[in-house]
Amino acid sequence: MSYQATIEPLGETIEVEDDQKLLDAALRAGVWLPYACNHGVCGTCKVDVLEGEVEHNEASSFALMDIERDEGKTLACCATLVSDIVIEADIEEEEDAQHLPVGDYTGKVVRIEDLTPTVKGIWLEVPGDGIEFQAGQYLNLNVPGVEIPRAFSLANPPSEKNVIELNVRHVPDGQATTYLHEQLKMGDELGFTAPLGRFFVRKSAPEPMIFLAGGSGLSSPKSMILDLLENGEERAITLVYGARNQAELYYFDLFSKLARQHANFHYLTALSEPADTDDWDGPRCFVHELAEEHFGKRFEGHKAYLCGPPPMIDSSITSLMRGRLFEEHIFMENFFTAADSAKPARRSALFKKF
Amino acid sequence: MAAKPRRLNLTQKYQLMTRGLDWETTYQSMDDVFPYDKYEGIKIKDWDKWQDPFRLTMDAYWKYQAEKERKLYAILDGFAQNNSQLNISDARYMNAVKIWMQGVTPLEYAAFRGFAMLGRGFRGAGARVACQFQSIDEMRHYQTQMHAFSHYNKYFNGFRQFARIRDRAWYLSIPKSYFEDAVTAGPFELITAISFSFEYVLTNLLFMPFVSGAAYNGDMATTTFGFSAQSDESRHMTLGLEVIKFMLEQDEGNLPIVQQWLDKWFWRGYRLLGLVGTMMDYMLPKKVMSWRQAWEIYWEESGMALFNDLARYGLRPPKYHEVATKEKYRITHEFWCTIYQFSHATALYTWIPTEEELDWFSAEYGELFDTVYRPRYEYWAELDRKGERFFQKRLPVVCNVCQIPIFHTMPDDPLMNCCLVSEYKGTKHQMCSQGCKDIFDHEPEKYCQAYIPPQQIYQGNCGGATLEAYKEWLHIKDEETGEYYGSEDHIMWEGWKAQSGKPADAPA
Ligand SMILES: Cc1cc2nc3c(=O)[nH]c(=O)nc-3n(C[C@H](O)[C@H](O)[C@H](O)COP(=O)(O)OP(=O)(O)OC[C@H]3O[C@@H](n4cnc5c(N)ncnc54)[C@H](O)[C@@H]3O)c2cc1C
Ligand code: FES
Ligand SMILES: [Fe+2]
Ligand SMILES: [Fe+2]
């Protein structure tokens, strides 16, 4: 059994399990709420309940006083839901978020292509009005025989509403990705929920943009960059992409061509472990190292968008921050798998987003 | 009809009532109006980039704090009327409360003064407002603690003449010097020392064990003010985080300065917490968690997770944190062994732990405890049985920086005393550790002026050059010092328990 919580002023709706704490559900759904102690004594996570009812559980009577309870406040770290709710939290509204409605769709497989030995391109046709999304967002895909839907970012630009593209990396032993790589065939139908996530270009911000992507993390940046260029973007855009070896480097021709056509678009690639047979005289390093070299370890004055597996995101954040680009200018989509979320999180409350 | 005015949201309201009231001065230069926020070398390019860590306005503040007070005093009244002092686990426990009142509560008052200074000192209005709120919070913490303790003062020794004890007791220079060091630094160092190093990094080691220890030992008065203070703590901690991020993001030249402060205040904070750890291990008859375990959870896990995150700014974990981790097996025992020998010169009682407690230590601390400290306690217990309870005849040499008696041992040798010496302007200064020595050597001109009570006492500046003369000057009576067993507190407790029909040592 679960309830829904809508979080204002974001307008984001999340699922909260019966015995799950509101804060826990929000953080897991990628919605950051302020918190510190996480056990009901400090009051940092106080929110206003605008609609619906919650149970305050072990909230301290000083951190959440009776008058506050009467005023409809609760501590997100302790609260469980007894109905669907709407809350207001002390968080910033995002100017560039479009708040597109989330819907359930069915798509027919119209094209499957091996982009690399481990990444398949999968194109799904969505008839009728198609689907509206913001470049960078993802969908939750229902894969036959797999209980929980899996997240994949949309790789096509939002202008292509009727055929969407996914870039799916095969995760060894992964239930869903193994199915998609080994059993999926043309004409199959797949259900999905979209659009999801808060990874999108802050178009109203004046700064030039850096995209850092690794592995199948090219999907979102591809959509975002195509969208920007289609709409006549004039600010400098730099895509730094890293793959293991040449066979894993995909869409090289597409981005090389775009770089030739658009003076403001720069495309950099590096291989971390080129194969002996690779014909490669480009940089041999990780994405973040290539970015450091290109920007001379100074990232101040940019907006950065990061996309890919957790270790790549992690090193990239450190490079950016050492190069004096801080949290408010960094946006990311972490391609978590079940293996990552099973690892104990050893983080502090220092940063809101990472 | 005019449109109904829209209700302001939190952010707008806060903006209007804080930064909106600020202005750039014109009759006087801003540097003259805010003369202290530059000389430490911290460069701030744009105070507007300060992210307000919480958006609280004065009207809401008064309303909520007043409610907290009402609630707290209702509980304290009930506590007094029901003679709830009878519900504590054992009268030995009261010594933990005495340490808190003598050593920690004055720090709340010092914090009130420090934050009042900061509330005037920073040129950014957001930072000033946050510090002003905190200043009032700290005054409230100080007052509510005093009020909570005043009930215990009716029955137990060690609580009277709090102000004089705070000023004159030699051992209280340990906590006092910590804050005095901070308030005599510049505003950025002060806020780093208190809001970040102390309240953010180390507060869990201070409040958590103390408050849950109090609850576990039946002390509802302390538990209640503890929760009441904790509810302000979120603001204090987020202020600490914001200040660190702000300094680091404003200018890269700030990094080495901040690093040096974190090194210094980690070590000073850690040394001070040794006292809390000792209280936790030895003065709580019902144990909550050993110091070793608390250190592992709150420092080795949470603290290191924080420093992993801070590494993104180029900060490294504080110097000598690995020494602190090595010391986790011994620091509280070394401390207790010291207090045990000097309690005749304090407004506290000490004792040899019970057999059962010694076994708990063995389990928590392992071989080192069994080979080094347990034999000491057995030896002293034997002396005590012969009527020769052991006390030192003279006050100890204390560290010139942390002011703790020089009892700590070498990082890799728990049997070798550690005493390091720096010479400055022809005078030798002793320090307890490399951590404290580094602090001295970085600012010798500051620390050579430290007021070191045992030295002052033996120079005759505190009522006379003998322990007896000093104790008279301190107005401390023999009945409120020394050995717990046979003390006034002990006898009174036994009497109460006899009346209520419960055996004295049974848990409440
Ligand atoms: C927002 C978002 C966007 C994404 N976009 C993309 C994209 O565009 N392209 C892409 O390729 N990937 C993307 N991913 C990653 C993708 O969702 C995962 O790779 C996918 O869910 C793996 O599913 P699976 O069923 O194949 O693997 P799973 O069966 O879920 O297993 C994944 C791994 O975890 C291990 N594992 C499973 N359960 C546990 C457990 N309980 N404890 C420990 N280990 C366990 C497995 O052995 C395996 O190694 C995205 C992820 C997110 C969160
Ligand atoms: S995070 Fe501290 S009360 Fe919820
Ligand atoms: Fe306080
Ligand atoms: Fe010291």
Side-chain angles (χ1 to χ4, degrees):
Chain A
M1 182 66 192
S2 73
Y3 295 106
Q4 292 198 321
T6 303
I7 299 167
E8 301 292 1
L10 303 179
E12 196 98 350
T13 299
I14 61 166
E15 291 288 320
V16 188
E17 295 299 321
D18 236 3
D19 52 354
Q20 191 179 21
K21 303 290 161 67
L22 177 57
L23 175 67
D24 182 66
L27 296 178
R28 281 173 197 276
V31 178
W32 182 85
L33 297 178
Y35 72 99
C37 73
N38 215 343
H39 60 273
V41 300
C42 76
T44 312
C45 64
K46 203 173 295 165
V47 296
D48 282 305
V49 184
L50 305 177
E51 284 169 34
E53 272 183 53
V54 296
E55 197 71 64
H56 303 298
N57 301 312
E58 65 275 24
S60 136
S61 58
F62 286 97
L64 185 70
M65 293 180 294
D66 290 342
I67 55 166
E68 298 176 293
R69 291 169 202 234
D70 297 343
E71 287 170 356
K73 295 189 188 299
T74 195
L75 299 182
C77 71
C78 296
T80 50
L81 275 51
V82 287
S83 74
D84 288 351
I85 59 166
V86 180
I87 61 159
E88 181 176 355
D90 187 9
I91 42 183
E92 301 286 340
E93 217 167 332
E94 288 270 11
E95 189 177 338
D96 297 295
Q98 283 177 18
H99 301 293
L100 297 168
V102 179
D104 294 320
Y105 298 87
T106 305
K108 191 162 95 185
V109 181
V110 291
R111 187 174 149 205
I112 302 177
E113 193 181 307
D114 284 333
L115 297 173
T116 80
T118 63
V119 180
K120 263 192 205 304
I122 297 170
W123 282 261
L124 302 173
E125 188 179 56
V126 187
D129 291 342
I131 132 162
E132 264 202 273
F133 66 97
Q134 266 188 285
Q137 288 190 293
Y138 68 92
L139 51 68
N140 261 342
L141 190 67
N142 303 317
V143 178
V146 181
E147 202 186 338
I148 302 166
R150 300 294 198 265
F152 296 99
S153 304
L154 294 146
N156 55 301
S159 58
E160 295 164 15
K161 289 188 172 22
N162 290 100
V163 178
I164 58 171
E165 174 190 342
L166 307 178
N167 300 163
V168 177
R169 166 179 298 280
H170 183 218
V171 178
D173 309 325
Q175 255 190 302
T177 56
T178 303
Y179 178 92
L180 295 172
H181 272 249
E182 294 174 2
Q183 304 194 36
L184 189 75
K185 48 185 194 321
M186 294 286 286
D188 282 359
E189 299 215 316
L190 292 173
F192 63 88
T193 309
L196 299 167
R198 303 185 52 74
F199 188 50
F200 50 81
V201 175
R202 271 57 182 177
K203 289 187 179 173
S204 63
E207 292 92 349
M209 293 161 259
I210 306 174
F211 291 85
L212 301 181
S216 59
L218 195 53
S219 46
S220 284
K222 173 168 170 278
S223 171
M224 296 158 113
I225 291 168
L226 290 177
D227 182 48
L228 287 165
L229 295 177
E230 275 176 14
N231 288 295
E233 180 58 53
E234 286 176 353
R235 282 169 290 187
I237 302 171
T238 308
L239 169 62
V240 187
Y241 179 62
R244 181 161 297 172
N245 52 46
Q246 210 160 18
E248 291 295 337
L249 188 62
Y250 69 107
Y251 284 140
F252 185 77
D253 295 339
L254 170 74
F255 287 111
S256 302
K257 194 171 133 212
L258 286 172
R260 285 193 299 274
Q261 288 169 345
H262 298 270
N264 63 329
F265 176 60
H266 309 282
Y267 175 49
L268 313 169
T269 51
L271 299 183
S272 59
E273 289 170 38
D276 295 340
T277 53
D278 284 354
D279 172 25
W280 182 256
D281 49 16
R284 293 164 177 245
C285 59
F286 289 110
V287 181
H288 64 280
E289 294 165 330
L290 180 58
E292 282 181 5
E293 198 199 296
H294 180 76
F295 288 95
K297 300 196 171 180
R298 305 296 300 192
F299 299 99
E300 231 164 343
H302 289 86
K303 287 270 187 265
Y305 299 89
L306 280 43
C307 192
M312 177 236 130
I313 302 265
D314 190 64
S315 342
S316 300
I317 293 172
T318 300
S319 293
L320 292 170
M321 286 194 53
R322 298 262 171 105
R324 306 203 54 75
L325 189 73
F326 301 111
E327 195 177 7
E328 61 166 312
H329 306 291
I330 302 176
F331 307 92
M332 74 198 102
E333 193 75 281
N334 231 320
F335 281 9
F336 286 116
T337 69
D340 301 309
S341 24
K343 281 179 209 146
R346 288 201 50 190
R347 294 191 28 216
S348 69
L350 189 65
F351 300 114
K352 299 173 181 178
K353 294 195 289 203
F354 25 97
Chain B
M1 203 177 88
K4 194 174 154 214
R6 222 188 118 205
R7 194 170 166 261
L8 296 173
N9 71 24
L10 278 175
T11 313
Q12 295 162 324
K13 190 169 164 191
Y14 176 79
Q15 200 66 25
L16 287 171
M17 291 182 63
T18 53
R19 294 193 192 190
L21 299 173
D22 194 38
W23 74 96
E24 283 268 327
T25 59
T26 50
Y27 306 157
Q28 296 287 335
S29 78
M30 287 291 270
D31 281 346
D32 286 341
V33 177
F34 299 102
Y36 302 120
D37 70 352
K38 285 189 172 166
Y39 81 93
E40 294 165 285
I42 293 292
K43 292 195 186 63
I44 304 300
K45 294 188 182 122
D46 184 2
W47 272 103
D48 284 340
K49 283 272 183 302
W50 170 274
Q51 304 271 326
D52 295 305
F54 44 85
R55 302 200 179 104
L56 183 64
T57 53
M58 263 301 163
D59 54 333
Y61 179 79
W62 291 123
K63 184 170 125 196
Y64 289 133
Q65 299 302 90
E67 181 65 20
K68 283 182 197 172
E69 297 286 82
R70 262 194 293 281
K71 214 171 144 53
L72 174 67
Y73 283 104
I75 296 175
L76 291 184
D77 280 350
F79 185 86
Q81 278 158 21
N82 294 320
N83 279 322
S84 304
Q85 75 280 1
L86 295 172
N87 293 336
I88 59 169
S89 54
D90 180 32
R92 288 180 303 159
Y93 164 76
M94 285 321 296
N95 292 282
V97 186
K98 294 176 199 178
I99 285 215
W100 193 274
M101 189 216 62
Q102 297 173 12
V104 182
T105 305
L107 297 188
E108 305 276 13
Y109 191 82
F112 145 68
R113 296 172 61 190
F115 280 93
M117 262 164 64
L118 294 176
R120 170 63 183 85
F122 287 125
R123 73 186 66 194
R128 282 209 307 279
V129 169
C131 291
Q132 286 162 13
F133 281 131
Q134 180 157 355
S135 175
I136 308 169
D137 289 340
E138 301 297 0
M139 174 55 104
R140 190 177 84 84
H141 298 173
Y142 160 74
Q143 288 178 333
T144 52
Q145 289 174 25
M146 273 308 159
H147 286 143
F149 297 142
S150 66
H151 180 71
Y152 290 129
N153 183 40
K154 294 182 203 154
Y155 306 99
F156 297 94
N157 286 329
F159 288 99
R160 63 187 189 90
Q161 57 154 357
F162 130 83
R164 188 187 284 124
I165 293 241
R166 182 244 169 233
D167 289 345
R168 296 189 176 183
W170 64 277
Y171 57 103
L172 296 181
S173 72
I174 299 169
K176 204 163 54 179
S177 73
Y178 178 94
F179 247 89
E180 287 177 352
D181 190 350
V183 289
T184 51
F188 282 105
E189 183 177 346
L190 168 57
I191 198 168
T192 303
I194 307 308
S195 298
F196 184 75
S197 299
F198 202 68
E199 300 205 88
Y200 192 79
V201 182
L202 300 173
T203 200
N204 275 330
L205 282 156
L206 183 71
F207 253 101
M208 208 298 298
F210 184 64
V211 176
S212 47
Y216 207 51
N217 284 278
D219 175 6
M220 287 329 286
T222 297
T223 309
T224 310
F225 83 62
F227 274 119
S228 166
Q230 271 288 73
S231 66
D232 297 331
E233 218 49 44
S234 66
R235 270 184 286 113
H236 303 181
M237 295 197 297
T238 38
L239 178 58
L241 283 186
E242 175 53 28
V243 102
I244 287 292
K245 289 165 73 170
F246 184 63
M247 289 190 289
L248 294 171
E249 294 183 13
Q250 278 292 309
D251 193 283
E252 56 205 302
N254 295 342
L255 177 71
I257 305 176
V258 172
Q259 179 75 63
Q260 197 269 325
W261 288 342
L262 295 190
D263 289 347
K264 169 178 170 180
W265 290 100
F266 165 79
W267 190 257
R268 291 226 57 183
Y270 161 67
R271 274 296 189 244
L272 181 56
L273 283 183
L275 194 56
V276 179
T278 306
M279 180 180 92
M280 212 161 110
D281 272 352
Y282 283 88
M283 294 184 163
L284 300 181
K286 290 173 84 179
K287 314 285 183 206
V288 177
M289 183 189 274
S290 66
W291 168 259
R292 174 195 58 74
Q293 202 192 351
W295 185 255
E296 287 167 0
I297 295 174
Y298 295 116
W299 174 257
E300 292 176 47
E301 284 175 30
S302 317
M304 288 317 278
L306 173 66
F307 276 90
N308 281 338
D309 282 347
L310 283 169
R312 299 207 199 270
Y313 286 108
L315 283 171
R316 50 160 177 72
K319 261 204 288 185
Y320 307 121
H321 73 94
E322 66 293 341
V323 174
T325 293
K326 280 181 193 167
E327 289 181 351
K328 71 184 173 188
Y329 291 104
R330 55 179 121 131
I331 185 115
T332 58
H333 312 305
E334 291 178 345
F335 225 126
W336 185 255
C337 287
T338 307
I339 309 180
Y340 180 80
Q341 302 175 61
F342 287 101
S343 63
H344 60 315
T346 68
L348 299 165
Y349 300 121
T350 54
W351 56 87
I352 296 291
T354 64
E355 233 6 78
E356 202 183 302
E357 286 167 341
L358 292 175
D359 291 343
W360 180 78
F361 285 129
S362 295
E364 287 292 315
Y365 289 96
E367 202 194 322
L368 192 66
F369 184 80
D370 286 339
T371 53
V372 177
Y373 310 107
R374 195 169 187 141
R376 277 184 210 171
Y377 294 138
E378 282 161 357
Y379 171 72
W380 281 327
E382 187 50 41
L383 286 183
D384 197 17
R385 272 190 292 276
K386 289 192 281 184
E388 299 163 21
R389 166 62 157 96
F390 184 77
F391 290 116
Q392 288 287 351
K393 303 242 170 343
R394 285 194 176 71
L395 292 176
V397 172
V398 304
C399 172
N400 201 134
V401 173
C402 69
Q403 304 242 359
I404 295 174
I406 301 217
F407 62 68
H408 298 90
T409 46
M410 299 296 283
D412 292 306
D413 185 356
L415 290 176
M416 179 67 88
N417 184 249
C418 181
C419 179
L420 306 174
V421 176
S422 288
E423 213 171 305
Y424 184 69
K425 289 187 175 167
T427 305
K428 288 197 171 79
H429 299 269
Q430 287 110 331
M431 264 72 64
C432 73
S433 56
Q434 196 60 48
C436 282
K437 185 172 187 308
D438 284 6
I439 295 170
F440 182 94
D441 292 344
H442 186 74
E443 287 179 283
E445 190 57 34
K446 178 171 190 176
Y447 295 99
C448 79
Q449 302 174 57
Y451 183 95
I452 298 176
Q455 294 180 4
Q456 294 296 324
I457 291 165
Y458 289 122
Q459 284 168 28
N461 297 333
C462 306
T466 62
L467 197 51
E468 290 64 37
Y470 163 67
K471 280 170 77 169
E472 203 160 304
W473 180 72
L474 185 56
H475 291 239
I476 199 176
K477 292 183 267 179
D478 276 337
E479 308 86 88
E480 52 193 338
T481 70
E483 170 63 38
Y484 170 74
Y485 289 103
S487 69
E488 288 186 346
D489 277 12
H490 179 225
I491 291 164
M492 175 182 65
W493 183 253
E494 296 274 325
W496 283 346
K497 287 296 153 186
Q499 271 175 22
S500 71
K502 281 192 227 163
D505 284 322

